[in-house]
Each structure stands twice: as C-alpha cells, then as structure tokens.
C-alpha cells in the first residue's frame, strides 16, 4: 500500500502547497536563539515575544518576506579596548522566522524590559454560501 502525501489527498483540493509550506517551515534555520514565546491574546490575535536583552531598537529589524515574519538582530561589537576575564554574554547576531498564514497581519512591535513584543492579527473572512446552478447538457 502506498502512503498518500497530505497535499495530494483527493478531498484536499487546492492544498498542494501545504507540503512545501511544512518543508519551508522546517528549514527556517532557527537554532533556539533567542528564546521566544507565542501567546494567543484573543480569538483573532497573537503575540510573539523574543528575549533580546542587550539589543537596542536600532539593532533589530522586523520584516515580512514571502509570508514569513523575519526578525533579525545584530549587535555592534563594542569590546575594543576592553579586557574580559570572562565573557558569558555573547554579542551575537540572530535571525528568527515565523511562517504566516494568509490573512495574518503584523501589527506593532514594542520593546520592553529586554523583551521584544510583536503583535499579529488574523482577519476573519466573511462566510459566503454560493449556490451553483445546474444546467442541462
């Protein structure tokens, strides 16, 4: 018996891109840094919170690219002239991507106490009932 791919199931018409989306999501390259939370703040809104301690607003960039929310961070290296006996706080860059469904819009971003909050809203489409006339052939 051959296993049928999800996007090719006969009842899922028009979902061929679903497998490509799942593969793209798996390949986002997120390595766990920085840590983040995703919370549902209402029936149609979400908040992504990233722990970005040490980053200034000017060190961060938030873009929407090809239905993905991409958050990048790049700190300036200010270690010139300093002698560290221990350096446990790394000044490293990151890129974290989140795939967005159709109808999900990125709202505002707020920096607060070392946390970056990005608000998302999902528009609810109008429910449409369409009657199809049958003609004689």
């Amino acid at each position: 018996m051959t296993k049928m791919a999800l996007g090719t199931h006969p009842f899922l018409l028009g979902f061929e891109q679903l497998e490509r989306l799942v593969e793209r999501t798996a390949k986002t390259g997120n390595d766990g840094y920085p840590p983040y939370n995703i919370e549902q703040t209402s029936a149609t809104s979400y908040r992504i919170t990233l722990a970005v301690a040490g980053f200034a607003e000017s060190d961060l960039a938030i873009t929407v690219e090809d239905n993905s929310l991409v958050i990048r961070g790049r700190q300036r290296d200010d270690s010139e002239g300093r002698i560290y006996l221990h350096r446990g706080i790394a000044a490293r860059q990151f890129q974290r991507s989140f795939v967005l469904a159709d109808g999900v819009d990125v709202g505002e971003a707020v920096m607060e106490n070392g946390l970056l909050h990005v608000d998302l809203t999902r528009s609810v489409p109008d429910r449409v009932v369409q009657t199809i006339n049958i003609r004689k052939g």
Side-chain angles (χ1 to χ4, degrees):
M1 182 179 191
T2 305
K3 183 177 179 181
M4 191 178 299
L6 180 63
T8 60
H9 192 280
F11 296 130
L12 296 175
L13 301 175
F15 286 90
E16 294 82 14
Q17 78 281 7
L18 187 60
E19 279 188 87
R20 288 190 300 273
L21 178 64
V22 170
E23 288 174 13
R24 191 176 103 202
T25 303
K27 294 178 184 178
T28 57
N30 294 328
D31 66 354
Y33 178 80
Y36 66 94
N37 292 337
I38 301 175
E39 60 183 298
Q40 186 169 1
T41 54
S42 77
T44 59
S45 63
Y46 309 92
R47 173 172 269 190
I48 298 173
T49 301
L50 282 83
V52 291
F55 286 86
E57 290 89 345
S58 60
D59 296 334
L60 301 169
I62 303 170
T63 58
V64 177
E65 306 169 13
D66 193 26
N67 282 0
S68 290
L69 170 65
V70 181
I71 303 171
R72 293 180 179 93
R74 175 172 290 186
Q75 288 179 311
R76 291 178 210 90
D77 187 11
D78 63 352
S79 63
E80 189 174 324
R82 294 182 179 188
I83 300 172
Y84 289 97
L85 300 179
H86 172 75
R87 187 165 185 182
I89 302 172
R92 66 189 257 198
Q93 63 185 16
F94 70 86
Q95 176 175 314
R96 177 142 321 258
S97 300
F98 302 90
V99 177
L100 302 175
D102 289 337
V104 174
D105 296 315
V106 179
E108 70 175 352
V110 177
M111 189 84 146
E112 176 183 44
N113 298 325
L115 299 174
L116 174 66
H117 304 287
V118 181
D119 292 323
L120 309 170
T121 56
R122 179 174 43 91
S123 58
V124 179
D126 295 332
R127 298 195 187 272
V128 176
V129 176
Q130 182 180 4
T131 301
I132 309 300
N133 293 323
I134 303 172
R135 66 176 183 89
K136 290 187 179 182

